[in-house]
Amino acid sequence: MLKTYTYPCYPYRRAPELGEAAVRRVPLVVIGAGPVGLAAAIDAAQLGLPVVLLDDDNTVSIGSRGLCYAKRALEVLDRLGVGQPVVDKGVTWNVGRTFHRDTEVFSFNLLPEAGHRRPGMVNLQQYWLEQFMVERAAALPGIDLRWQHKVTGLAQDAGCVTLEVETIDGAYRLQAGRVIVADGARSPMRRLMGLDIEGKVFQDRFLIADVVLDGELFPADKTERWFWFDPPFHGGQSVLLHREADNVWRIDFQLGWAADPEAEKQPERVRPRIRAMLDSQGYQDIGFDLEWVSVYTFQCRRMKDFRAGQVFFAGDAAHQVSPFGARGANSGLQDTDNLLWKLKLVHDGLAPDALLDTYSEERAAAADENIMNSTRSTDFITPKSRVSQVMRNAVLSLARQVPCGRALVNSGRLSVPSTYAGSSLNTPDRDTFAGWMVPGAPMDDAPVRAGGRAGWLLEHTGNRFVLLCFAAAAPADAVRELAARLAQDRIPVHLLLVLPHGAPAPAGLDAVHDVEGLAWQRFDARDGTAVLLRPDQHVAARWRTPDLPSVRAAVARATAQPAG
């Protein structure tokens, strides 16, 4: 029981398959109703793909668990219809500060420029996120969400996947065209299928303490991330501080590998650590209550392949990283963002099965990048040899004195969006562009106006292929012809004009006005530039002067169609 949150208890429903001789077949089953599984189910429903979501529990996550949601994850949540509740309830921040003992040695700003809808990061306890996502799922047709339905068996052949499901009313079988496994780091389904996860387990332990304070450490509008190396209140170790919703504060204390996890979770061991931290920072008059306590071990691991036949692994079931860097849940949300549009096209017969192989191709590369950064952070935070510790401390001492040394300080490189630069789905540039909006990159947002209403460019994309066409004035007839032809293709492409502020909006074409010129700037656009966006809002191709054959070829490549 938490002091600031009441856990919902979702009702069990008897499965219609119980007692039936015939085995029902559905297009998609998702296993696990955490953030990643819920994201997959919501995305499927929005795309018109019916889905059964199975979970062996009947409530949201116990404890705050996942906490930090980065800008790109928030943009994915916006597309799923839950971004605004997360931002409204959560704690927004962009600035992080790192201290060596009691001296600041490094700081960063996750969003140093204006003109983005979402901040660099929002902190929100995982149970709130899951609650918002369950509410969103309940409002959508096409999602059959089943609580207390535990998958105990799985078999697949070339045609389908057959699941054995246990309930309080007995067992039943269910067949699915495809299955997404999002059942967490310990993944019973991964073990059931005999699949391995490979990587490194770091020999260190950290204590998580969620604390309800009766005062403020800093104003709500000045929320920051604080990290200490060797602080005076926890000598020789590291500490991380985050603010959460409802005036809950997350404090992570490094314990060392020899620490007894059960003993360290006891209140009589936790409370003195919290009190020492508050007193050392001048907050002797602030009291606190413990909300939730846990002990965790760093892991940086992933499956070799995220696809096993018609079963797809996502989130912690597929890959795991240490929590410093906020790369776990953020990466999991990008997994489903990558996978669902591909599943929908293949299910509808509009793309070959080979398109589904690119899920593992793209997301395994993203996982490798996350693991690399997470491993480097972990090695810096928890050096495993005397030499490594001496080197780490030398960097911290240098950073106290010399500005150039600050870039070497690594208290957790924060989550950044994945760029599929090496993807086989990209069409290479034939023209010269500046900037980072290369094929494979997630598109940048910008403030726009459409129909007299202020909004954001990202709101006009997603869930379909979109061709952004930048035009300085009313478009020529050739653009209208391009829009009409692309809209009639087997895989339709929606043409969206991006006009300068004040330009007349042409009748019969979808258009937005780039009110601050940021869209043109971020896409390095000129009059006539076009950018093809995938349904997950990643760039597929770009041209200075598009033509119908080139756009069609890029769509074919982005959907793994055979050449020619």
PDB file of all heavy atoms in Angstrom, residues 170-198:
ATOM      1  N   GLY A 170     -10.325 -22.254 -15.406  1.00  0.00           N
ATOM      2  CA  GLY A 170      -9.780 -23.356 -16.175  1.00  0.00           C
ATOM      3  C   GLY A 170      -8.914 -22.871 -17.323  1.00  0.00           C
ATOM      4  O   GLY A 170      -8.654 -21.672 -17.476  1.00  0.00           O
ATOM      5  N   ALA A 171      -8.468 -23.825 -18.139  1.00  0.00           N
ATOM      6  CA  ALA A 171      -7.546 -23.522 -19.233  1.00  0.00           C
ATOM      7  C   ALA A 171      -8.287 -23.475 -20.566  1.00  0.00           C
ATOM      8  O   ALA A 171      -9.326 -24.107 -20.757  1.00  0.00           O
ATOM      9  CB  ALA A 171      -6.440 -24.562 -19.282  1.00  0.00           C
ATOM     10  N   TYR A 172      -7.701 -22.698 -21.487  1.00  0.00           N
ATOM     11  CA  TYR A 172      -8.229 -22.674 -22.841  1.00  0.00           C
ATOM     12  C   TYR A 172      -7.077 -22.468 -23.815  1.00  0.00           C
ATOM     13  O   TYR A 172      -5.959 -22.099 -23.432  1.00  0.00           O
ATOM     14  CB  TYR A 172      -9.294 -21.594 -23.019  1.00  0.00           C
ATOM     15  CG  TYR A 172      -8.803 -20.164 -22.876  1.00  0.00           C
ATOM     16  CD1 TYR A 172      -8.379 -19.429 -23.991  1.00  0.00           C
ATOM     17  CD2 TYR A 172      -8.785 -19.529 -21.640  1.00  0.00           C
ATOM     18  CE1 TYR A 172      -7.946 -18.120 -23.878  1.00  0.00           C
ATOM     19  CE2 TYR A 172      -8.355 -18.221 -21.506  1.00  0.00           C
ATOM     20  CZ  TYR A 172      -7.939 -17.516 -22.627  1.00  0.00           C
ATOM     21  OH  TYR A 172      -7.505 -16.225 -22.514  1.00  0.00           O
ATOM     22  N   ARG A 173      -7.355 -22.718 -25.087  1.00  0.00           N
ATOM     23  CA  ARG A 173      -6.368 -22.522 -26.148  1.00  0.00           C
ATOM     24  C   ARG A 173      -6.815 -21.377 -27.038  1.00  0.00           C
ATOM     25  O   ARG A 173      -7.996 -21.147 -27.252  1.00  0.00           O
ATOM     26  CB  ARG A 173      -6.202 -23.800 -26.971  1.00  0.00           C
ATOM     27  CG  ARG A 173      -5.706 -24.991 -26.165  1.00  0.00           C
ATOM     28  CD  ARG A 173      -5.770 -26.253 -26.983  1.00  0.00           C
ATOM     29  NE  ARG A 173      -4.758 -26.267 -28.019  1.00  0.00           N
ATOM     30  CZ  ARG A 173      -4.850 -26.988 -29.147  1.00  0.00           C
ATOM     31  NH1 ARG A 173      -5.931 -27.712 -29.386  1.00  0.00           N
ATOM     32  NH2 ARG A 173      -3.883 -26.959 -30.025  1.00  0.00           N
ATOM     33  N   LEU A 174      -5.820 -20.664 -27.545  1.00  0.00           N
ATOM     34  CA  LEU A 174      -6.073 -19.518 -28.410  1.00  0.00           C
ATOM     35  C   LEU A 174      -5.017 -19.505 -29.498  1.00  0.00           C
ATOM     36  O   LEU A 174      -3.826 -19.694 -29.212  1.00  0.00           O
ATOM     37  CB  LEU A 174      -6.018 -18.225 -27.586  1.00  0.00           C
ATOM     38  CG  LEU A 174      -6.364 -16.906 -28.287  1.00  0.00           C
ATOM     39  CD1 LEU A 174      -7.827 -16.886 -28.707  1.00  0.00           C
ATOM     40  CD2 LEU A 174      -6.078 -15.735 -27.348  1.00  0.00           C
ATOM     41  N   GLN A 175      -5.424 -19.298 -30.726  1.00  0.00           N
ATOM     42  CA  GLN A 175      -4.483 -19.215 -31.832  1.00  0.00           C
ATOM     43  C   GLN A 175      -4.348 -17.770 -32.289  1.00  0.00           C
ATOM     44  O   GLN A 175      -5.307 -17.002 -32.262  1.00  0.00           O
ATOM     45  CB  GLN A 175      -4.937 -20.088 -33.008  1.00  0.00           C
ATOM     46  CG  GLN A 175      -4.816 -21.581 -32.741  1.00  0.00           C
ATOM     47  CD  GLN A 175      -5.143 -22.418 -33.953  1.00  0.00           C
ATOM     48  OE1 GLN A 175      -5.814 -21.953 -34.879  1.00  0.00           O
ATOM     49  NE2 GLN A 175      -4.691 -23.665 -33.977  1.00  0.00           N
ATOM     50  N   ALA A 176      -3.137 -17.421 -32.711  1.00  0.00           N
ATOM     51  CA  ALA A 176      -2.858 -16.057 -33.168  1.00  0.00           C
ATOM     52  C   ALA A 176      -2.013 -16.112 -34.420  1.00  0.00           C
ATOM     53  O   ALA A 176      -1.134 -16.981 -34.565  1.00  0.00           O
ATOM     54  CB  ALA A 176      -2.124 -15.271 -32.083  1.00  0.00           C
ATOM     55  N   GLY A 177      -2.273 -15.151 -35.315  1.00  0.00           N
ATOM     56  CA  GLY A 177      -1.404 -15.027 -36.475  1.00  0.00           C
ATOM     57  C   GLY A 177      -0.004 -14.649 -36.048  1.00  0.00           C
ATOM     58  O   GLY A 177       0.989 -15.175 -36.561  1.00  0.00           O
ATOM     59  N   ARG A 178       0.063 -13.743 -35.054  1.00  0.00           N
ATOM     60  CA  ARG A 178       1.358 -13.308 -34.522  1.00  0.00           C
ATOM     61  C   ARG A 178       1.208 -12.955 -33.051  1.00  0.00           C
ATOM     62  O   ARG A 178       0.121 -12.616 -32.582  1.00  0.00           O
ATOM     63  CB  ARG A 178       1.911 -12.121 -35.325  1.00  0.00           C
ATOM     64  CG  ARG A 178       2.281 -12.529 -36.751  1.00  0.00           C
ATOM     65  CD  ARG A 178       2.694 -11.392 -37.644  1.00  0.00           C
ATOM     66  NE  ARG A 178       3.017 -11.926 -38.965  1.00  0.00           N
ATOM     67  CZ  ARG A 178       2.133 -12.105 -39.952  1.00  0.00           C
ATOM     68  NH1 ARG A 178       0.867 -11.783 -39.764  1.00  0.00           N
ATOM     69  NH2 ARG A 178       2.514 -12.615 -41.115  1.00  0.00           N
ATOM     70  N   VAL A 179       2.339 -13.008 -32.333  1.00  0.00           N
ATOM     71  CA  VAL A 179       2.353 -12.760 -30.890  1.00  0.00           C
ATOM     72  C   VAL A 179       3.469 -11.784 -30.576  1.00  0.00           C
ATOM     73  O   VAL A 179       4.591 -11.904 -31.096  1.00  0.00           O
ATOM     74  CB  VAL A 179       2.562 -14.068 -30.098  1.00  0.00           C
ATOM     75  CG1 VAL A 179       2.782 -13.780 -28.614  1.00  0.00           C
ATOM     76  CG2 VAL A 179       1.374 -15.005 -30.288  1.00  0.00           C
ATOM     77  N   ILE A 180       3.163 -10.805 -29.728  1.00  0.00           N
ATOM     78  CA  ILE A 180       4.178  -9.897 -29.188  1.00  0.00           C
ATOM     79  C   ILE A 180       4.361 -10.223 -27.714  1.00  0.00           C
ATOM     80  O   ILE A 180       3.394 -10.229 -26.947  1.00  0.00           O
ATOM     81  CB  ILE A 180       3.775  -8.423 -29.357  1.00  0.00           C
ATOM     82  CG1 ILE A 180       3.640  -8.071 -30.840  1.00  0.00           C
ATOM     83  CG2 ILE A 180       4.802  -7.501 -28.691  1.00  0.00           C
ATOM     84  CD1 ILE A 180       3.097  -6.676 -31.092  1.00  0.00           C
ATOM     85  N   VAL A 181       5.591 -10.499 -27.311  1.00  0.00           N
ATOM     86  CA  VAL A 181       5.910 -10.817 -25.924  1.00  0.00           C
ATOM     87  C   VAL A 181       6.512  -9.578 -25.270  1.00  0.00           C
ATOM     88  O   VAL A 181       7.557  -9.084 -25.689  1.00  0.00           O
ATOM     89  CB  VAL A 181       6.895 -11.999 -25.827  1.00  0.00           C
ATOM     90  CG1 VAL A 181       7.304 -12.234 -24.377  1.00  0.00           C
ATOM     91  CG2 VAL A 181       6.278 -13.259 -26.415  1.00  0.00           C
ATOM     92  N   ALA A 182       5.823  -9.082 -24.251  1.00  0.00           N
ATOM     93  CA  ALA A 182       6.288  -7.902 -23.510  1.00  0.00           C
ATOM     94  C   ALA A 182       6.098  -8.167 -22.018  1.00  0.00           C
ATOM     95  O   ALA A 182       5.495  -7.375 -21.300  1.00  0.00           O
ATOM     96  CB  ALA A 182       5.520  -6.664 -23.950  1.00  0.00           C
ATOM     97  N   ASP A 183       6.623  -9.307 -21.557  1.00  0.00           N
ATOM     98  CA  ASP A 183       6.380  -9.750 -20.182  1.00  0.00           C
ATOM     99  C   ASP A 183       7.557  -9.484 -19.252  1.00  0.00           C
ATOM    100  O   ASP A 183       7.700 -10.125 -18.210  1.00  0.00           O
ATOM    101  CB  ASP A 183       5.987 -11.227 -20.146  1.00  0.00           C
ATOM    102  CG  ASP A 183       7.024 -12.145 -20.775  1.00  0.00           C
ATOM    103  OD1 ASP A 183       7.990 -11.628 -21.382  1.00  0.00           O
ATOM    104  OD2 ASP A 183       6.880 -13.371 -20.659  1.00  0.00           O
ATOM    105  N   GLY A 184       8.423  -8.520 -19.601  1.00  0.00           N
ATOM    106  CA  GLY A 184       9.422  -8.038 -18.663  1.00  0.00           C
ATOM    107  C   GLY A 184      10.756  -8.751 -18.709  1.00  0.00           C
ATOM    108  O   GLY A 184      10.963  -9.703 -19.467  1.00  0.00           O
ATOM    109  N   ALA A 185      11.670  -8.276 -17.853  1.00  0.00           N
ATOM    110  CA  ALA A 185      13.059  -8.726 -17.887  1.00  0.00           C
ATOM    111  C   ALA A 185      13.212 -10.216 -17.610  1.00  0.00           C
ATOM    112  O   ALA A 185      14.061 -10.885 -18.199  1.00  0.00           O
ATOM    113  CB  ALA A 185      13.887  -7.917 -16.885  1.00  0.00           C
ATOM    114  N   ARG A 186      12.396 -10.746 -16.710  1.00  0.00           N
ATOM    115  CA  ARG A 186      12.504 -12.182 -16.399  1.00  0.00           C
ATOM    116  C   ARG A 186      11.775 -13.041 -17.416  1.00  0.00           C
ATOM    117  O   ARG A 186      11.984 -14.248 -17.468  1.00  0.00           O
ATOM    118  CB  ARG A 186      11.967 -12.445 -14.993  1.00  0.00           C
ATOM    119  CG  ARG A 186      12.819 -11.822 -13.895  1.00  0.00           C
ATOM    120  CD  ARG A 186      12.284 -12.188 -12.515  1.00  0.00           C
ATOM    121  NE  ARG A 186      13.154 -11.677 -11.463  1.00  0.00           N
ATOM    122  CZ  ARG A 186      13.062 -10.484 -10.918  1.00  0.00           C
ATOM    123  NH1 ARG A 186      12.112  -9.650 -11.356  1.00  0.00           N
ATOM    124  NH2 ARG A 186      13.876 -10.093  -9.966  1.00  0.00           N
ATOM    125  N   SER A 187      10.906 -12.481 -18.204  1.00  0.00           N
ATOM    126  CA  SER A 187      10.192 -13.063 -19.342  1.00  0.00           C
ATOM    127  C   SER A 187       9.939 -14.570 -19.240  1.00  0.00           C
ATOM    128  O   SER A 187      10.692 -15.376 -19.789  1.00  0.00           O
ATOM    129  CB  SER A 187      10.938 -12.785 -20.643  1.00  0.00           C
ATOM    130  OG  SER A 187      10.152 -13.206 -21.756  1.00  0.00           O
ATOM    131  N   PRO A 188       8.864 -14.974 -18.589  1.00  0.00           N
ATOM    132  CA  PRO A 188       8.524 -16.395 -18.598  1.00  0.00           C
ATOM    133  C   PRO A 188       8.372 -16.959 -20.008  1.00  0.00           C
ATOM    134  O   PRO A 188       8.710 -18.128 -20.242  1.00  0.00           O
ATOM    135  CB  PRO A 188       7.180 -16.419 -17.846  1.00  0.00           C
ATOM    136  CG  PRO A 188       7.197 -15.211 -16.972  1.00  0.00           C
ATOM    137  CD  PRO A 188       7.939 -14.173 -17.761  1.00  0.00           C
ATOM    138  N   MET A 189       7.893 -16.149 -20.943  1.00  0.00           N
ATOM    139  CA  MET A 189       7.725 -16.652 -22.307  1.00  0.00           C
ATOM    140  C   MET A 189       9.066 -16.922 -22.977  1.00  0.00           C
ATOM    141  O   MET A 189       9.213 -17.902 -23.705  1.00  0.00           O
ATOM    142  CB  MET A 189       6.921 -15.643 -23.138  1.00  0.00           C
ATOM    143  CG  MET A 189       5.495 -15.444 -22.663  1.00  0.00           C
ATOM    144  SD  MET A 189       4.598 -17.009 -22.492  1.00  0.00           S
ATOM    145  CE  MET A 189       4.758 -17.669 -24.131  1.00  0.00           C
ATOM    146  N   ARG A 190      10.039 -16.073 -22.717  1.00  0.00           N
ATOM    147  CA  ARG A 190      11.358 -16.306 -23.293  1.00  0.00           C
ATOM    148  C   ARG A 190      11.938 -17.621 -22.765  1.00  0.00           C
ATOM    149  O   ARG A 190      12.510 -18.419 -23.526  1.00  0.00           O
ATOM    150  CB  ARG A 190      12.289 -15.135 -22.953  1.00  0.00           C
ATOM    151  CG  ARG A 190      13.611 -15.139 -23.723  1.00  0.00           C
ATOM    152  CD  ARG A 190      14.483 -13.962 -23.317  1.00  0.00           C
ATOM    153  NE  ARG A 190      14.856 -14.021 -21.907  1.00  0.00           N
ATOM    154  CZ  ARG A 190      14.679 -13.044 -21.027  1.00  0.00           C
ATOM    155  NH1 ARG A 190      14.117 -11.904 -21.394  1.00  0.00           N
ATOM    156  NH2 ARG A 190      15.049 -13.191 -19.774  1.00  0.00           N
ATOM    157  N   ARG A 191      11.774 -17.852 -21.474  1.00  0.00           N
ATOM    158  CA  ARG A 191      12.275 -19.107 -20.895  1.00  0.00           C
ATOM    159  C   ARG A 191      11.466 -20.292 -21.411  1.00  0.00           C
ATOM    160  O   ARG A 191      12.034 -21.364 -21.682  1.00  0.00           O
ATOM    161  CB  ARG A 191      12.200 -19.029 -19.365  1.00  0.00           C
ATOM    162  CG  ARG A 191      13.130 -17.981 -18.762  1.00  0.00           C
ATOM    163  CD  ARG A 191      13.377 -18.255 -17.280  1.00  0.00           C
ATOM    164  NE  ARG A 191      12.134 -18.296 -16.515  1.00  0.00           N
ATOM    165  CZ  ARG A 191      11.579 -17.237 -15.954  1.00  0.00           C
ATOM    166  NH1 ARG A 191      12.141 -16.046 -16.089  1.00  0.00           N
ATOM    167  NH2 ARG A 191      10.453 -17.358 -15.268  1.00  0.00           N
ATOM    168  N   LEU A 192      10.154 -20.118 -21.540  1.00  0.00           N
ATOM    169  CA  LEU A 192       9.307 -21.198 -22.032  1.00  0.00           C
ATOM    170  C   LEU A 192       9.724 -21.632 -23.432  1.00  0.00           C
ATOM    171  O   LEU A 192       9.684 -22.828 -23.765  1.00  0.00           O
ATOM    172  CB  LEU A 192       7.850 -20.726 -22.036  1.00  0.00           C
ATOM    173  CG  LEU A 192       6.789 -21.745 -22.453  1.00  0.00           C
ATOM    174  CD1 LEU A 192       6.688 -22.868 -21.432  1.00  0.00           C
ATOM    175  CD2 LEU A 192       5.430 -21.055 -22.620  1.00  0.00           C
ATOM    176  N   MET A 193      10.168 -20.678 -24.239  1.00  0.00           N
ATOM    177  CA  MET A 193      10.578 -20.986 -25.605  1.00  0.00           C
ATOM    178  C   MET A 193      12.041 -21.399 -25.686  1.00  0.00           C
ATOM    179  O   MET A 193      12.548 -21.692 -26.773  1.00  0.00           O
ATOM    180  CB  MET A 193      10.322 -19.775 -26.500  1.00  0.00           C
ATOM    181  CG  MET A 193       8.845 -19.422 -26.650  1.00  0.00           C
ATOM    182  SD  MET A 193       8.556 -17.950 -27.687  1.00  0.00           S
ATOM    183  CE  MET A 193       9.089 -18.564 -29.296  1.00  0.00           C
ATOM    184  N   GLY A 194      12.752 -21.406 -24.534  1.00  0.00           N
ATOM    185  CA  GLY A 194      14.150 -21.830 -24.514  1.00  0.00           C
ATOM    186  C   GLY A 194      15.091 -20.869 -25.195  1.00  0.00           C
ATOM    187  O   GLY A 194      16.129 -21.281 -25.729  1.00  0.00           O
ATOM    188  N   LEU A 195      14.767 -19.574 -25.178  1.00  0.00           N
ATOM    189  CA  LEU A 195      15.590 -18.570 -25.842  1.00  0.00           C
ATOM    190  C   LEU A 195      16.507 -17.884 -24.840  1.00  0.00           C
ATOM    191  O   LEU A 195      16.123 -17.638 -23.696  1.00  0.00           O
ATOM    192  CB  LEU A 195      14.693 -17.535 -26.538  1.00  0.00           C
ATOM    193  CG  LEU A 195      13.776 -18.109 -27.625  1.00  0.00           C
ATOM    194  CD1 LEU A 195      12.820 -17.048 -28.132  1.00  0.00           C
ATOM    195  CD2 LEU A 195      14.587 -18.697 -28.774  1.00  0.00           C
ATOM    196  N   ASP A 196      17.695 -17.563 -25.277  1.00  0.00           N
ATOM    197  CA  ASP A 196      18.709 -16.972 -24.400  1.00  0.00           C
ATOM    198  C   ASP A 196      18.711 -15.454 -24.510  1.00  0.00           C
ATOM    199  O   ASP A 196      18.281 -14.874 -25.510  1.00  0.00           O
ATOM    200  CB  ASP A 196      20.110 -17.489 -24.765  1.00  0.00           C
ATOM    201  CG  ASP A 196      20.278 -18.959 -24.467  1.00  0.00           C
ATOM    202  OD1 ASP A 196      19.630 -19.439 -23.522  1.00  0.00           O
ATOM    203  OD2 ASP A 196      21.046 -19.627 -25.186  1.00  0.00           O
ATOM    204  N   ILE A 197      19.218 -14.841 -23.458  1.00  0.00           N
ATOM    205  CA  ILE A 197      19.516 -13.412 -23.474  1.00  0.00           C
ATOM    206  C   ILE A 197      20.960 -13.276 -23.021  1.00  0.00           C
ATOM    207  O   ILE A 197      21.373 -13.864 -22.023  1.00  0.00           O
ATOM    208  CB  ILE A 197      18.545 -12.614 -22.592  1.00  0.00           C
ATOM    209  CG1 ILE A 197      18.764 -11.115 -22.785  1.00  0.00           C
ATOM    210  CG2 ILE A 197      18.614 -13.030 -21.136  1.00  0.00           C
ATOM    211  CD1 ILE A 197      17.626 -10.262 -22.272  1.00  0.00           C
ATOM    212  N   GLU A 198      21.762 -12.547 -23.780  1.00  0.00           N
ATOM    213  CA  GLU A 198      23.199 -12.525 -23.556  1.00  0.00           C
ATOM    214  C   GLU A 198      23.663 -11.124 -23.193  1.00  0.00           C
ATOM    215  O   GLU A 198      23.079 -10.124 -23.601  1.00  0.00           O
ATOM    216  CB  GLU A 198      23.930 -12.992 -24.830  1.00  0.00           C
ATOM    217  CG  GLU A 198      23.520 -14.388 -25.282  1.00  0.00           C
ATOM    218  CD  GLU A 198      24.098 -14.752 -26.634  1.00  0.00           C
ATOM    219  OE1 GLU A 198      24.652 -13.843 -27.301  1.00  0.00           O
ATOM    220  OE2 GLU A 198      23.988 -15.924 -27.032  1.00  0.00           O
TER     221      GLU A 198
END
